[in-house]
Amino acid sequence: MPVYEYKCVDRGHRFEVLRKLQERDEPIECPDCRSGNTRREVSPFGTGISSGCYGSSGSCGCPGGSKFG
Ligand SMILES: [Zn+2]
């Protein structure tokens, strides 16, 4: 299962959860403050990144490929 990153909207907590793909957008409780007001952080693997940005040269201006490499 992939890991998804969530953000607690109320207090700004960040946490990662191992979830099934189908459940990634299901509501989830913040483990720190038990708030249900959370949202999934958009993954760098999503559509917000330009194509051809999977290299490690950094020439595209992405925040570094070290996170994935
Ligand atoms: Zn929280």
Side-chain angles (χ1 to χ4, degrees), residues 3-62:
V3 174
Y4 295 102
E5 185 174 349
Y6 296 83
K7 182 176 182 179
C8 169
V9 178
D10 287 342
R11 303 194 185 184
H13 299 135
R14 282 170 175 265
F15 55 99
E16 295 179 343
V17 182
L18 199 63
R19 305 185 90 181
K20 295 177 183 175
L21 177 66
Q22 306 93 292
E23 296 176 351
R24 64 182 180 178
D25 288 323
E26 295 288 312
I28 189 166
E29 197 176 68
C30 174
D32 289 328
C33 67
R34 299 297 177 188
S35 169
N37 191 12
T38 59
R39 66 173 53 179
R40 184 168 60 88
E41 292 282 89
V42 177
S43 164
F45 294 110
T47 56
I49 211 162
S50 61
S51 61
C53 185
Y54 300 101
S56 57
S57 66
S59 59
C60 60
C62 285

